[in-house]
Amino acid sequence: MPATHHPPDLFALSDVRGPVLRPGDDGYDAEVAAFNLAARHAPDVVVGATGTADVVNLLRHGHTVPLG
């Protein structure tokens, strides 16, 4: 059975202070760049957390998002 894709609810991330980026946004590629350059990461949304509060908000949001 194929995974069901759920688009990100960006409104749910409105409490995040850091940038919330989607593919094509300025800064997206730099934010998803990793130490392992052999793998290309392409999440639907990436957040540049600016502090502990951002991380807490993202974990709360991530807990509610269904995984494919």
Side-chain angles (χ1 to χ4, degrees):
M1 174 181 231
T4 302
H5 180 75
H6 299 279
D9 177 8
L10 299 184
F11 181 75
L13 299 176
S14 61
D15 289 339
V16 174
R17 298 180 119 191
V20 177
L21 306 168
R22 301 201 60 195
D25 290 346
D26 287 339
Y28 174 88
D29 288 333
E31 203 64 55
V32 298
F35 291 106
N36 180 1
L37 299 179
R40 169 78 171 119
H41 303 281
D44 289 335
V45 65
V46 64
V47 176
T50 60
T52 305
D54 277 356
V55 174
V56 169
N57 285 328
L58 293 168
L59 289 172
R60 283 186 183 139
H61 174 69
H63 182 69
T64 66
V65 176
L67 299 176

